[in-house]
Amino acid sequence: MNAADLQKEKIRIRLMDPDRANVIEMILDSAKKAAKEAQREVTEEDLLSSVKKGIKENEKAISLIESKNGDASKWKTELSLLKTFLPVQMTESQVEVELNKILADMPEADRVKKNQGKIMAQMKKFNNVDMAMVSKILNTLLK
């Protein structure tokens, strides 16, 4: 996924699928803003970060709207479209394998919940991992 390809797709589908075109525009705008603040060109990392940020915001909006008994269908549609831009996520077993590799490289005394943040930071090198899942698995693996 890169900015130029997304821009081309947005132009190509804006009449056929305006919802997807709007989501692409939102991703591009957020990524361009992040790149501009860092004074560089838009990177794939900016795009992925924008998608994740949009998903998080939509999930919050959906829960708030539904708690007030409102209609969150627009946000649910946007959320499902945003998820199509994520790379295929690691499975629970793949996450567990990677965590066990990290833990194997650590001294036994350091494999405690106190160091959970340090271990999770090492998992951030994978762009396709759900950090909530990492946290859940780590809680079962650590003392």
Side-chain angles (χ1 to χ4, degrees), residues 18-133:
D19 289 338
R20 184 170 175 85
N22 288 338
V23 167
I24 291 171
E25 187 168 349
M26 180 187 71
I27 293 168
L28 286 170
D29 287 347
S30 178
K32 286 176 183 175
K33 181 179 178 187
K36 185 175 181 181
E37 287 174 3
Q39 297 180 343
R40 58 177 162 69
E41 292 295 313
V42 175
T43 65
E44 190 169 328
E45 201 54 44
D46 293 327
L47 295 168
L48 186 59
S49 176
S50 297
V51 170
K52 288 179 180 179
K53 180 180 172 188
I55 288 172
K56 196 175 215 177
E57 288 172 354
N58 275 24
E59 287 172 342
K60 284 182 184 177
I62 289 168
S63 66
L64 179 66
I65 291 167
E66 288 179 342
S67 72
K68 306 285 184 193
N69 297 321
D71 178 22
S73 59
K74 175 184 176 245
W75 285 270
K76 287 180 180 178
T77 301
E78 195 172 285
L79 180 62
S80 66
L81 288 169
L82 277 166
K83 286 183 177 181
T84 65
F85 292 99
L86 286 176
V88 176
Q89 297 291 295
M90 290 173 80
T91 64
E92 197 165 327
S93 60
Q94 290 171 320
V95 170
E96 195 164 344
V97 166
E98 292 300 328
L99 283 171
N100 283 323
K101 286 180 187 175
I102 292 169
L103 291 173
D105 291 340
M106 294 177 73
E108 183 74 33
D110 289 346
R111 298 178 198 169
V112 292
K113 289 189 186 236
K114 179 180 145 190
N115 291 329
Q116 183 169 342
K118 292 177 185 175
I119 298 165
M120 288 185 69
Q122 292 182 51
M123 286 298 290
K124 286 189 177 189
K125 67 183 174 191
F126 301 104
N127 286 331
N128 59 340
V129 66
D130 177 5
M131 294 308 284
M133 183 191 322

